[in-house]
Amino acid sequence: MLPDPFPLLSLVVWTPILGGLWVLLAAGEKNAPTARAIALAISVATFLLSIPLYTQFDLSTHEMQFVERFEWIQTFGIYYHLGVDGISMPLILLTTFITPLVVISAWQVIQYKTAQYLAAFLIMEGLMNGVFAALDAILFYVFWEAMLVPMFLIIGIWGGPQRIYATIKFFLYTFLGSVFMLVALIYLYAQADSFAILDLHTVKVGMTAQILIFIAFLLAFAVKVPMWPVHTWLPDAHVEAPTGGSVILAAIMLKMGGYGFVRFSLPITPDASRELDWLMIALSLIAVVYIGFVALVQTDLKKLIAYSSISHMGFVTLGFFVAFSILEGTGSLQGAAMGMEGGMMQMISHGFISGALFLCVGVLYDRMHTRQIADYGGVVNSMPIFAAFMMLFVMANSGLPGTSGFVGEFMVILSSFKANFWFAFLAASILLLGAGYNLWMYKRVIYGKVANEGVASLKDINARELLILGTLAAVVLLFGVWPAPILEVMHPSVENLLQHVVQSKL
Amino acid sequence: MAFVTPDFVPAIPEIFVLGMACLALVVDVYITERYRLFTYQLAQSTLVASALMVIFLYPAEAVVTFNGTFVSDGMSTVLKVFILLVSYFVFFYSKQYLRDRNLFRGEYYVLGLFAVLGMMVMASAHSLLTIYLGLELLSLSLYALVALNRDSNEASEAAMKYFVLGALASGMLLYGMSMIYGATASLDLAEVYRVASGGQANDTLLVFGLVFVVVGLAFKFGAVPFHMWVPDVYEGASTSVTLFISTAPKLAAFAMAMRLLVDALPSLHGDWQQMLIILAVLSMAAGNVIAIAQTNLKRMLAYSTIAHVGFLLAGILTGTQSGYAAAMFYVIVYALMSMGGFGMIILMSQAGIEADRLDHFKGLNERSPWFAFIMLIFMFSMAGVPPFLGFWAKWSVLRELVAGGVVWLAAVAVVFSIIGAFYYLRVVRLMYFDKPEDATPITPGRDMRVMMSANGLAILGLGIYPGGLMAVCVSALGA
């Protein structure tokens, strides 16, 4: 007999966490192969468990699905409350999809404390799923913060030479952002007498309070996204993190910031969002344009991709917050919905593409132990298959039609045209800048004369790497030509979100 | 006035501890070095038996006895249970450490039992005199304990400093109490409450007395600007004594604050709230900032204690029942975490090595992954990162601050928590990211391993399900 309702989300959250502990206890440090086998099995099992979230998903409703709700801390009205809608479900699938790839990518590379490494990733996977699935604000916060602990260790133990500086910076930045959110959530509790996120969506809050809450949320989410000017932790963290850490950071953690905006900021403080949308749009455009230029001059492969991530995430926030100008200008809900869906599509797609690019850099780094662009050149001569894959991901990152990178960018640019020509103009510069830094980097690394002995003796990717990159390539192309599966899942939830946004909460 | 035999029943645990402490004192004189363990066992069984008595005698409603000088209620019961539990762990952790240093003498346990008795009396005090009696019994035992290692200059210096400043603080407290007595003409807290809230007392005198009482309390808590003794005493005393000073007495100090401020003088809430706000903000600021500069782990934890005291006072100053419950939850959680933190120093210290510098924790993950993990739990918990218990302690205080309308103080508190996170992270960094200076594995005894792990896992487990402990605190204060 299966319990009804079947606790699918709990399984998706707890399987990896318990699996991580199992890896630690069962395999220990002496038995790396066992650790790898268990970790792979657990991560694949979690992915399989998460598939019914998509197949059983009811596309006709914006209501939360797969809901589980138990009393957790009775004294303070905190519930263990999980559920997903069209906004969070794709992000959970993204997480469960990326984690097995990360586990595989660590197969030979991580030799130091393998079990701890894999366990940290599994535990983090569970916690990230928890963040996306939590419907109780405090439960959300617990997952949100707890996630910092494994990431702190991952960067600090397995990272590059500057890892300690980078990881402490990472932790303190994100911690700084989050604690204000905690105060804001407690304040909201005092108004709503509930920590359920959906109850917070309907609570009335005065303008001054809304603005303060909005700023508290902004601190938490902007650091995570990261938005200019609080982005400086990201290049450091990315550069120093091991490949797997970079992938998780770029592919999933950054998405939490974007998720936070649509789950908390927009529906809870719509009036403050409307009031301050100029700020958000300005910051997003600065990220897109200025960081785009910054990416252009990077000499370190990982830094370049890190800056490109910031620039792309600027698109996401632009898509979310341009809605107000559209509504004001044209009153078109559809236009606003397109911006938001574009932003969300961009999040998912960026998860695949940036993850793939970091894995590509990892492939090179494992062979050459350098990330400097100048140390490469002519890689295509020794690694043709790799060069082909990287070409695809680089193109996708510059938003080539036919890849998933195009869909989101196009939707956001299109909708920002409805708001203001200049928004769209500046946003569209990403196509130019993106193509610039991506292709220039690709040219310097892959083409040209064979730079040195090291490059000449490179071996092309092995079956394991082929599997990882091949899977990602397939997904990038699939959603590039057929994004409907993601968009139709999101649609009812985004419409519902917009209903909250247009409704004043004063 | 006819003599009425008081009701002894509520005080049975205290009477029992007193009897057993005297018994241990006598027995210890007659046994040889070989059987010294017997004193230890006697002390431990006293704590366990007394804790059972406290639980068994849990009163349905507050019982006042001994002519209104002694009370047994929900708060005293819960605090006593935790005082006894924490002391049990403290004595346990200290055993091997004291042996290795030739300090395994009966005095430690006898003085410890007297200190426990003092704390229990403080928790149950219902008159200004009983409070002072319990406090002095505790303090004098602690002064002697600090000086236990009599060949150590640092310990003697620390004891002297502790004694002089402690005596000064007691003097202040006593002076304040005398003024309160002058204003209300009673030592009985219930009577003080009646007169003070009835508006029959001279307010100027009462507030003057309150100032001195708060100063005395701040000294005992180690709140800024009355914190000067804390780092020196923590560093100078042998770690087993530091472990004791930093844990259980804070529970007793909390009880004292509750009895004096909340039970007796709630009518002056507006006045003492202002004072506590200053103390809380200064403690959080100075404690967290100065801790960053420390290289000695005991000093670092001392400043961390000061910062925690700031948070604790923030809970009390809200002036609501749920605020007091949050503060009580905080102090209990703090005691459990601090016990673990200092316990880890003891665990790392072997014969001839004092692992009290931060450097000793370098590369612990290579030497002992399990204990590195346990220490990681303590550090993240103290930093207030979920899902560890310390987060919920901070959470409940923040919640009360926001509910009480002091949102700005909540914001100040979280800002200083971020600063505080830095030095806790540094310990984790040393354990996990640095290479060990000396790669010998850590080999504590099996019993020590079990207890330490239990301590750490309790912080994790209670962090995942904090509801029970919170509910205990809330119901103890009848909130």
Side-chain angles (χ1 to χ4, degrees), chain A residues 72 76 112 116 138 145 163, chain B residues 365-366 386 433 464-465 470:
Chain A
W72 179 26
F76 295 121
Y112 176 74
Q116 285 186 2
I138 297 299
E145 288 277 274
R163 61 187 198 276
Chain B
N365 188 34
E366 307 244 318
F433 308 160
I464 290 171
Y465 189 74
M470 279 183 181

Side-chain angles (χ1 to χ4, degrees), chain A residues 174-196:
Chain A
T174 27
F175 197 53
L176 170 80
S178 326
V179 288
F180 289 101
M181 173 171 73
L182 182 65
V183 176
L185 291 176
I186 296 174
Y187 179 83
L188 283 167
Y189 173 79
Q191 313 300 314
D193 204 29
S194 162
F195 277 120

Side-chain angles (χ1 to χ4, degrees), chain A residues 158-375:
Chain A
W158 294 278
Q162 289 290 316
R163 61 187 198 276
I164 293 170
Y165 168 77
T167 195
I168 289 183
K169 188 169 175 181
F170 159 77
F171 192 100
L172 290 180
Y173 255 76
T174 27
F175 197 53
L176 170 80
S178 326
V179 288
F180 289 101
M181 173 171 73
L182 182 65
V183 176
L185 291 176
I186 296 174
Y187 179 83
L188 283 167
Y189 173 79
Q191 313 300 314
D193 204 29
S194 162
F195 277 120
I197 295 176
L198 295 185
D199 290 346
L200 299 184
H201 286 183
T202 56
V203 70
K204 301 259 184 257
V205 188
M207 197 61 190
T208 320
Q210 266 201 37
I211 294 217
L212 288 174
I213 294 171
F214 181 83
I215 290 172
F217 284 150
L218 178 63
L219 279 172
F221 302 136
V223 166
K224 210 74 156 198
V225 164
M227 295 176 79
W228 185 86
V230 285
H231 64 282
T232 61
W233 64 271
L234 185 80
D236 288 313
H238 264 319
V239 168
E240 300 304 331
T243 305
S246 299
V247 173
I248 294 286
L249 258 177
I252 304 159
M253 269 203 193
L254 305 191
K255 310 303 175 289
M256 290 182 176
Y259 175 74
F261 280 122
V262 291
R263 184 64 89 219
F264 288 88
S265 302
L266 285 172
I268 296 178
T269 59
D271 304 288
S273 308
R274 182 175 303 119
E275 199 66 30
L276 293 173
D277 71 332
W278 57 271
L279 174 73
M280 300 299 293
I281 292 175
L283 293 180
S284 308
L285 287 174
I286 292 175
V288 170
V289 178
Y290 166 70
I291 300 294
F293 276 111
V294 173
L296 208 51
V297 297
Q298 295 307 313
T299 55
D300 180 306
L301 277 170
K302 267 189 159 180
K303 257 202 171 135
L304 189 145
I305 305 170
Y307 279 110
S308 125
S309 292
I310 301 170
S311 163
H312 280 92
M313 292 308 286
F315 243 77
V316 175
T317 44
L318 178 66
F320 292 159
F321 282 90
V322 83
F324 295 101
S325 321
I326 301 175
L327 289 172
E328 217 162 275
T330 65
S332 148
L333 272 178
Q334 225 169 351
M338 182 158 73
M340 291 201 180
E341 281 171 25
M344 250 134 40
M345 187 64 209
Q346 173 81 343
M347 290 210 288
I348 306 281
S349 145
H350 179 260
F352 297 125
I353 297 171
S354 66
L357 282 172
F358 278 116
L359 287 165
C360 284
V361 176
V363 166
L364 287 176
Y365 182 80
D366 294 340
R367 289 165 171 73
M368 297 275 290
H369 297 286
T370 168
R371 292 182 310 255
Q372 294 302 311
I373 296 178
D375 292 337

Side-chain angles (χ1 to χ4, degrees), chain B residues 126-137:
Chain B
H126 196 253
S127 124
L128 298 177
L129 213 54
T130 338
I131 292 180
Y132 189 72
L133 187 75
L135 177 65
E136 283 307 284
L137 185 54

Side-chain angles (χ1 to χ4, degrees), chain B residues 280-346:
Chain B
V281 171
L282 287 179
S283 301
M284 286 189 277
N288 278 322
V289 172
I290 302 175
I292 293 176
Q294 305 305 315
T295 53
N296 182 298
L297 188 57
K298 277 158 84 177
R299 281 189 88 86
M300 191 197 98
L301 288 176
Y303 282 105
S304 126
T305 303
I306 294 170
H308 283 297
V309 163
F311 240 98
L312 164 67
L313 294 176
I316 300 179
L317 66 83
T318 56
T320 58
Q321 287 300 319
S322 47
Y324 306 142
M328 183 161 154
F329 182 64
Y330 199 100
V331 76
I332 291 172
V333 170
Y334 161 77
L336 296 178
M337 294 188 304
S338 181
M339 185 169 94
F342 284 106
M344 276 301 297
I345 301 182
I346 288 190

